[in-house]
Structure formats: C-alpha cells, structure tokens
Amino acid sequence: MPGDEFDIIRQHFVRQPVVREDVLLGVGDDAALLLVPAGAELVVCMDTLVAGVHFTATTPAAAIGHKALAVNLSDLAAMGAEPAWATLALTLPEHHPVWLADFARGFFALADHYHVQLVGGDTTHGPLSVTVQAHGFIRNGKALRRHGARSGDRIYVTGTLGDAGLALQLRDVANEGLRKRLDYPLPRIEAGLALRKYASAVIDVSDGLLADLGHLLEPDELGARIDIDALPHSAAFLEAIEQPGPGPHPPYYELPLSAGDDYELCFTVPPPHCAMMEQRLGMLACGCTAIGVIEQQPGIRCHHRDGSDYPPASHGYLHFLDE
Ligand code: ADP
Ligand code: MG
C-alpha cells in the first residue's frame, strides 16, 4: 500500500471542485497552511465511520464519502458555524480504484455544495474506516452551544425524524426516500447559520431525539415536555409504516424519539424570538416544527396533543426503554 498511497492521493484527492482563497497550502505538503478570518473563531470537529459498524458491505461508496463529510458538517451546523475546510484519514483494505472514485465523487459533491476544500489527510492500509475532520468559522463569541436553554423556551426540530432509523429496520424493503435519508443525510448548515440570531441552545440529532435532547437539558439541570403528536414525519416514513407486515419495533410513533442518524437540529428558542425564527426557518427546505417546551423539573415527559400522558401511567415506560 505505501507505494500506492501517492497514486491514490494524486488520482482522487488532489484535483477537487473547491479552491478557497484562505487555503495558502492544501494537499501535497507536510501540512496545510490556512487563514482564519480576523474576528472569527475556528470551529473544529471530527467523526469516524467504521465498516460493519456505521455502514455495511452494501452501502454504496459514494454514500460513505457523502456521509463521512455530512456527519461532520452537521456538527458544524449545530454550532452555527460556516464550513470551510476538511481533512480526511482513510484506512483501506485494498487499492480499489472504482470504489475510491465513487467515494471521492460522493465526498466532493457535498464539499462542493458547501464550498468546503479538502486540505489534507492520511492514507493507510487496514480494515476500512473513514475519519473526517471539518473546520468552520464563527464570529467571536457567537457559537451556538448545547447549554443555554431556559425554562419556558420552546423546543424545535428541523426536517423530519425517524427516517434513518426506519430505513435501518426495513433494510430489505425498497423505500428510496428512507434509504436516501440513511445513506445521504443532509447537514442543516443553512438552519444553523440562521439560528445564531434566535436559538438559546442547539444540538444535532445523531443518537435519537430523547438522547440528544437530554444533552441539552443536563448541563442546566432542566427538563422538557414533548408533544408526541407534534413530532414531524416524512411522507416516505408514513408510506412505509402503512405497508402491511409486522411493522417496525419500537412502534413507529416512538421511532422519532429513539432512532438516531437523522442529523436534524434540535434547538430551543425563547418565546419572544419564536415567531421570527419560524418565519426565517420556514423559508428553508427543511423547515422546523415546534415539539415541546423546556421546564424547570428535570426529566423528559411526553404527552399527546389532548394533554394525556404518553405512555399512559398504567403502561410505565416507552417501548424502547423496556428492551
Ligand atoms: P506525511 O508523510 O508528511 O504525513 P503523507 O505522505 O501522509 O504526508 O501525505 C502527503 C500529502 O497528502 C499531505 O499533504 C497529506 O495531507 C495529503 N493526504 C494524504 N492522504 C490524504 C487523503 N486521504 N485525502 C487528502 N489528502 C491526503
Ligand atoms: Mg511529512
């Protein structure tokens, strides 16, 4: 592999769609030289996708390239950052030019869309794994964080929830819409940028709404009330659950609470900002939905629109917590 490494880098990762002026030196030297704009903070995050854990043998290489960058851009979105650069550590079991070309195509299509330049990386031999580090900018002191929510703030999510989780469960069922949400998640960059003006706290939903909302509440020892009937479902989600068959487990209406991988943003907004925020995010394709409210009492309580508790007190727990 060492002999191949330079060929791989030259063939797949040197030429790329984005050339930024703030990159003084990109791929090819011992390290990259990058310019951070005056008055901005550098926002840095990293995520790894491991074969057999985060994707399977049937996941298209283009999807792996897309998702490796997308999950990082999602973290930048949750900070309100504007994406700029990425580095890529690739561990490959073999030199497979077609796989690499597809991988690079998926990676660079998304990089191009958000004007992200790949400025370096590492290429090694071993079990397939992909690590991306993404870098972005935020004006000094303006980053959106996981803490900052206050009792009375409204809770919102962008887009729809549960799609990726249902796609994982229905692996063998052909549902293009769900499949696409799992393989090609769309980072909510535009929403993150817009939320800098309105949100008190933001997190991206990678592990499931309840788990990630929990991370928003913990730092300030707050609680939340969630209207389970308000959780946004996609058309593909509703179509899939109407098909005859055993149906997903946990029941579909709980999937948006427990399933991860949707990469939507979950955020809180003080009531005086809600109307303006809703108008602003309503202009984006993903939109946003109000799903609940922050409360002083710690813990997450779910209820139906008519006010009745969910699950009913006699039932005890949500299904997925029973397992
Ligand atoms: P070094 O031995 O100095 O660490 P490498 O031989 O690993 O350098 O890499 C040579 C150049 O290619 C460096 O600029 C590095 O950042 C870049 N590079 C290596 N692998 C990748 C990759 N998968 N994607 C993008 N750039 C890469
Ligand atoms: Mg070197």
Side-chain angles (χ1 to χ4, degrees):
M1 190 71 144
D4 287 340
E5 185 188 330
F6 292 102
D7 286 344
I8 290 174
I9 298 166
R10 194 167 38 78
Q11 279 179 22
H12 300 286
F13 300 113
V14 170
R15 266 175 294 116
Q16 47 173 309
V18 176
V19 179
R20 294 177 59 102
E21 288 187 349
D22 52 17
V23 177
L24 304 181
L25 201 52
V27 173
D29 213 302
D30 289 314
L33 288 174
L34 308 167
L35 275 176
V36 180
E41 289 163 9
L42 183 63
V43 185
V44 181
C45 59
M46 178 186 274
D47 250 312
T48 297
L49 303 185
V50 177
V53 180
H54 301 98
F55 58 87
T56 68
T58 61
T59 309
I64 300 168
H66 171 101
K67 192 164 179 175
L69 181 58
V71 298
N72 279 281
L73 295 186
S74 175
D75 282 326
L76 291 186
M79 301 299 289
E82 177 195 330
W85 315 306
T87 50
L88 167 66
L90 255 186
T91 303
L92 302 167
E94 58 189 338
H95 185 176
H96 192 320
V98 175
W99 190 94
L100 274 165
D102 287 346
F103 173 90
R105 186 164 44 78
F107 184 96
F108 286 125
L110 184 62
D112 189 21
H113 186 80
Y114 285 109
H115 201 60
V116 169
Q117 185 171 342
L118 181 68
V119 296
D122 196 20
T123 306
T124 52
H125 178 76
L128 180 61
S129 126
V130 184
T131 298
V132 170
Q133 185 174 49
H135 314 74
F137 309 134
I138 184 94
R139 260 199 26 232
N140 286 343
K142 296 292 181 197
L144 299 168
R145 303 185 182 200
R146 291 182 177 190
H147 75 84
R150 294 277 171 275
S151 180
D153 286 0
R154 302 273 149 70
I155 305 169
Y156 291 85
V157 291
T158 58
T160 57
L161 294 173
D163 297 318
L166 191 53
L168 263 179
Q169 287 196 18
L170 305 180
R171 252 185 202 302
D172 307 323
V173 180
N175 184 315
E176 259 326 291
L178 293 180
R179 186 88 242 149
K180 216 167 158 220
R181 287 273 291 173
L182 178 66
D183 285 345
Y184 295 89
L186 296 175
R188 300 307 189 190
I189 292 292
E190 294 83 358
L193 292 173
L195 287 174
R196 290 179 298 188
K197 259 172 111 169
Y198 310 108
S200 48
V202 185
I203 191 167
D204 68 325
V205 182
S206 51
D207 296 333
L209 179 66
L210 288 189
D212 291 315
L213 177 60
H215 297 311
L216 278 194
L217 303 172
E218 279 152 24
D220 299 304
E221 292 180 37
L222 292 165
R225 216 172 132 69
I226 297 294
D227 176 355
I228 187 157
D229 296 322
L231 298 175
H233 304 296
S234 69
F237 183 98
L238 294 174
E239 184 196 317
I241 55 144
E242 275 160 16
Q243 301 299 314
H249 186 84
Y252 79 88
Y253 45 86
E254 284 183 13
L255 260 180
L257 293 174
S258 62
D261 277 315
D262 287 313
Y263 296 98
E264 297 293 352
L265 298 181
C266 173
F267 55 98
T268 56
V269 179
H273 291 161
C274 287
M276 284 297 288
M277 185 286 295
E278 286 182 22
Q279 199 177 29
R280 181 69 188 79
L281 262 74
M283 289 154 62
L284 302 177
C286 64
C288 73
T289 307
I291 60 165
V293 63
I294 299 287
E295 294 180 334
Q296 206 64 58
Q297 184 196 349
I300 299 176
R301 293 160 289 280
C302 296
H303 66 93
H304 285 290
R305 184 152 299 154
D306 67 8
S308 61
D309 286 342
Y310 181 84
S314 60
H315 182 293
Y317 293 100
L318 296 171
H319 283 81
F320 59 89
L321 295 177
D322 280 346
E323 286 164 19

